Amino acid sequence: IWSQYVHLLVLALDGLATVFHSAGIAIIAFTIIVKTIMLPLTVKSIRSSKAMQDLQPKIKELQKKHGSDRQRISQETMALYQQYQVNPMAGCLPMIIQIPIFLGLYQSIMHLSSSGTGYWDQSFLWLPSLNVPDPLKILPIAAGLFQFVQTQMMRPRDQQKSTDPQQAMMNSVMNIMPLTVVFFGWSFAAGPVLYWATQSVYSVVQQWFITGWGSFHK
């Protein structure tokens, strides 16, 4: 199944490269298409995060009621989520889905670049090749930076005050993601990192239209 998935990505990327006469632009166009297709999932994720924020007063009441009984608070909180049909991990889902896309792109770009055919053995902007790491490290830093900006925008202005353990866990995952992007992007082929940087920029613009600046706006 995985090999078939990678083969489909190879066909899609190579087709876009033929249309745009550039492998780099093909990756950017592919990213925009994927992010647009995922828009309904992204909107659902944002709505779930907003619903969790709306439940914070009720969660704080539970914490006051049960004091230091963490197990009881956790049980009551999960019951509250079920009652209002809120998924506490929905905010992380779009980022998790990006992982198999990124890995599939990595294999696809390495295959296309090593074939030495078409536009995949050509340079793009300052990149000598898409199958070697960015020599200036601009892409991994940009990807991590915009990923961080997006995670902050996803949080409502007062969400940092939340003491909900489920929300705290999701916040931790969101905080780690930008560092993970920079760490792996530092030595990854520039092609997949170009995808991640593009989708991070796209996500920031998309997030701004949906929620504004979030926790960046005091």
Side-chain angles (χ1 to χ4, degrees), residues 3-70:
S3 60
Q4 294 174 341
Y5 164 67
V6 173
H7 180 64
L8 286 176
L9 291 182
V10 167
L11 293 177
L13 288 169
D14 203 27
L16 288 171
T18 302
V19 170
F20 293 106
H21 306 289
S22 169
I25 296 178
I27 294 174
I28 294 173
F30 177 86
T31 307
I32 294 173
I33 292 170
V34 169
K35 290 293 293 182
T36 303
I37 292 173
M38 289 179 59
L39 183 59
L41 179 62
T42 303
V43 172
K44 182 178 180 180
S45 168
I46 294 172
R47 287 177 177 172
S48 179
S49 297
K50 179 63 168 59
M52 289 184 65
Q53 180 64 22
D54 293 339
L55 288 178
Q56 287 306 308
K58 294 182 181 295
I59 293 174
K60 289 180 179 179
E61 289 178 7
L62 291 176
Q63 293 169 343
K64 291 181 180 179
K65 179 179 179 180
H66 298 294
S68 60
D69 190 346
R70 294 182 178 273

Side-chain angles (χ1 to χ4, degrees), residues 102 106 127 130 132-144 177-197:
F102 180 84
Y106 175 80
L127 304 170
L130 293 173
V132 297
D134 179 353
L136 302 180
K137 309 304 180 187
I138 294 174
L139 289 178
I141 293 174
M177 280 298 294
L179 296 176
T180 304
V181 170
V182 175
F183 177 78
F184 285 104
W186 205 262
S187 57
F188 260 61
V193 185
L194 173 61
Y195 159 80
W196 204 283

Side-chain angles (χ1 to χ4, degrees), residues 76-88:
E76 294 288 344
T77 300
M78 293 307 297
L80 200 62
Y81 288 153
Q82 292 178 357
Q83 178 183 350
Y84 288 91
Q85 297 182 335
V86 174
N87 182 358

